[in-house]
Amino acid sequence: MEWCVSMPKIELHAHLNGSIRDSTLLEIARGLGEKGVIVFSDVEHVIRKSDRTLHEVFKLFDLIHVITTDHKTVTRITKEVVEDFAYENVVYLELRTTPKKNDSIGMSKRSYMEAVLEGLRTITVVDVDFVPHGMNVSIPVTNMNVDNTFNGTSKKKIYVRLLLSIDRRESTEAALETVKLALEMRDLGVVGIDLSGNPIMGQWNTFLPALEFAKEQGLQITLHCGEVPNKKEIQSMLGFLPHRIGHACCFEEEEWRKLKSSEIPVEICLTSNIRTETISSIDIHHFVDLYNAKHPIVLCTDDSGVFSTTLSQEYHLAASAFDLGKRELFQLAKTAVNFIFAEGEVKQDLEDIFCLAENKLDV
Ligand code: 6MZ
């Protein structure tokens, strides 16, 4: 496990509100309880519970959103989530979140995202690169950690890029609004669009106009695909040729064939799939087949807070469940560089980081 922590890693599938520290969630809930906004004892056991079905997970998200959707809290959780990933040597994070609108507190999708950016700006304990290169002076890899210390030790550096999520409960217009916002915020580190939310809600056709527009405009797209059985939707999604997909749990032979010939990278979330029972047991997880077929895959956390995991734990779990050694784990982490949505210069820096680590970690 210690070795998995020390290895540089790339996180490409992490939902902001799913990645909140339990301690933070409980602290905020307690505060709201004291103010009489919620009844703390009603929500405490829901937050502390660790085994949840997929249905229960989405009920929990509704509760989390009640607790976290104000500008100050969004800023705080963004800061903490990025710090937590950086502490476990995640060197590149694509953080996704659903921009939210709440007129009663003066929140627009834009002001929600500004609160996220504020969270990135307020981080001091690690060095965060979130503005695309060319927009500011980039820090070459050779200068990293030089004269850049916190409490006397060199700071960790993390690249952060953002994906705006469309929730499957949203309308075509709301989805388009999110895509337009993503386009306006490209200079601020937004690189793409994600389609997520409860997979039994909504229709693929509702989101298609917004996703097609996003693709035309050069945004990168990742779709939650096949988290529940839905042959028609899975086939349409694969036909859309997204740049990546998440989960791919409920594919049949035909869809596997289509996926493999398309070479669309798959974001694999082991703990999430097991906890939500979208995959009944780790030894039959499609990781094995895709890994053996050399299909592009990347290990991710999905919701590190909700599922009490970390990216290091996901690598550790893959090592023990699928009998992978250090070399295989390192290669798995390193190949993820090819699937990031950020610009080429970042890829080059990440390749350098992995090269340096390869020598240092003796793999
Ligand atoms: C589908 C998921 C998800 O956007 O408020 N989300 N969507 N499948 C999953 N697997 C378990 N986990 C999280 O983060 C929370 C939102 O991310 C999506 C859901 O829409 C959830 O409301 P944000 O930061």
Side-chain angles (χ1 to χ4, degrees), residues 13-19 54 57-58 61-62 64-65 68-69 77 95-100 112 165-169 194-199 224 227 247 269 272-273 276 302-303 306-307:
H13 188 135
H15 298 270
L16 173 62
N17 276 286
S19 308
L54 197 57
V57 163
F58 290 102
F61 279 124
D62 286 342
I64 291 177
H65 290 146
T68 61
T69 308
I77 61 174
L95 186 61
R96 56 185 77 188
T97 192
T98 321
K100 295 168 186 74
Y112 175 92
S165 300
I166 296 169
D167 187 314
R168 294 183 61 112
R169 288 176 293 194
D194 156 56
L195 176 67
S196 54
N198 192 337
H224 281 62
E227 213 175 355
H247 296 298
C269 310
S272 163
N273 296 160
T276 56
D302 203 7
D303 299 293
V306 169
F307 300 121

Side-chain angles (χ1 to χ4, degrees), residues 319-330:
S320 54
F322 313 126
D323 203 17
L324 303 180
K326 285 182 183 171
R327 174 133 284 276
E328 285 95 355
L329 287 186
F330 190 85

Side-chain angles (χ1 to χ4, degrees), residues 161-193:
R161 294 296 183 269
L162 300 169
L163 304 179
L164 303 198
S165 300
I166 296 169
D167 187 314
R168 294 183 61 112
R169 288 176 293 194
E170 289 185 287
S171 64
T172 302
E173 292 68 35
L176 268 169
E177 192 191 342
T178 297
V179 171
K180 285 181 188 152
L181 181 61
L183 289 169
E184 285 164 24
M185 299 187 92
R186 272 176 148 176
D187 293 356
L188 296 164
V190 174
V191 289
I193 295 288

Side-chain angles (χ1 to χ4, degrees), residues 79-184:
K79 177 176 175 288
E80 291 181 356
V81 166
V82 171
E83 286 174 359
D84 288 349
F85 277 114
Y87 288 150
E88 59 154 335
N89 294 308
V90 169
V91 289
Y92 176 92
L93 162 67
E94 256 165 45
L95 186 61
R96 56 185 77 188
T97 192
T98 321
K100 295 168 186 74
K101 199 175 181 147
N102 184 346
D103 292 339
S104 67
I105 55 162
M107 179 181 278
S108 63
K109 287 190 174 187
R110 174 169 266 281
S111 73
Y112 175 92
M113 285 314 300
E114 275 161 5
V116 169
L117 290 171
E118 187 57 19
L120 299 180
R121 286 192 202 99
T122 52
I123 297 171
T124 53
V125 293
V126 290
D127 183 9
V128 184
D129 176 314
F130 67 95
V131 176
H133 292 181
M135 300 300 159
N136 73 344
V137 184
S138 79
I139 307 161
V141 65
T142 44
N143 288 354
M144 274 173 43
N145 296 335
V146 176
D147 291 334
N148 193 1
T149 58
F150 177 74
N151 277 352
T153 51
S154 55
K155 277 192 204 176
K156 293 183 186 292
K157 168 159 178 168
I158 184 166
Y159 284 99
V160 179
R161 294 296 183 269
L162 300 169
L163 304 179
L164 303 198
S165 300
I166 296 169
D167 187 314
R168 294 183 61 112
R169 288 176 293 194
E170 289 185 287
S171 64
T172 302
E173 292 68 35
L176 268 169
E177 192 191 342
T178 297
V179 171
K180 285 181 188 152
L181 181 61
L183 289 169
E184 285 164 24

